[in-house]
Amino acid sequence: PGLSYTWIFNNNTLDLQEDSRRFVSQATGNLYLAKVEPWDVGNYTCAVSSAAARRRVWGTPTALTLRGDGVMGEYEPKIEVHFPETTYAAKGSSVRLECFALGK
């Protein structure tokens, strides 16, 4: 609670207000890019802020490059769902089950 996530692209803060291809989850801090384009190539750095602590920290830059061969390596299309056989929840509480697909 109280954390805010921002992504820096090539030393400039990403402005995602009107961007339909990129999204930053304020729950996890993850940056999602859809339909990667050549102009997306560069260095991405996550910055995490805490207003309560009056502190901001930056992660290590991560380079995004395009592969010319179209091969995604470890990110070949796959769908994985890993749920326990039974999920327990207290009456009236909320439960979140996530499904994640990754690939081209």
Side-chain angles (χ1 to χ4, degrees):
L3 295 179
S4 176
Y5 302 94
T6 305
W7 280 85
I8 314 306
F9 173 60
N10 292 336
N11 298 318
N12 296 305
T13 301
L14 276 176
D15 181 10
L16 304 176
Q17 297 283 34
E18 298 179 16
D19 192 328
S20 61
R21 292 187 318 109
R22 297 181 288 193
F23 167 76
V24 175
S25 167
Q26 289 302 315
T28 65
N30 293 343
L31 170 65
Y32 299 91
L33 285 89
K35 300 180 183 175
V36 174
E37 298 289 348
W39 51 85
D40 293 320
V41 169
N43 290 307
Y44 291 83
T45 305
C46 179
V48 182
S49 303
S50 169
R54 294 185 210 156
R55 184 166 164 89
R56 186 173 190 180
V57 294
W58 288 264
T60 305
T62 300
L64 175 68
T65 58
L66 292 181
R67 294 185 61 142
D69 58 9
V71 175
M72 294 183 61
E74 67 178 286
Y75 297 109
E76 287 295 329
K78 63 183 174 182
I79 297 176
E80 294 182 5
V81 181
H82 301 284
F83 294 121
E85 282 190 30
T86 304
T87 299
Y88 297 94
K91 182 178 178 182
S93 68
S94 298
V95 175
R96 184 170 111 183
L97 302 176
E98 292 185 326
C99 181
F100 185 77
L102 177 67
K104 179 179 177 187

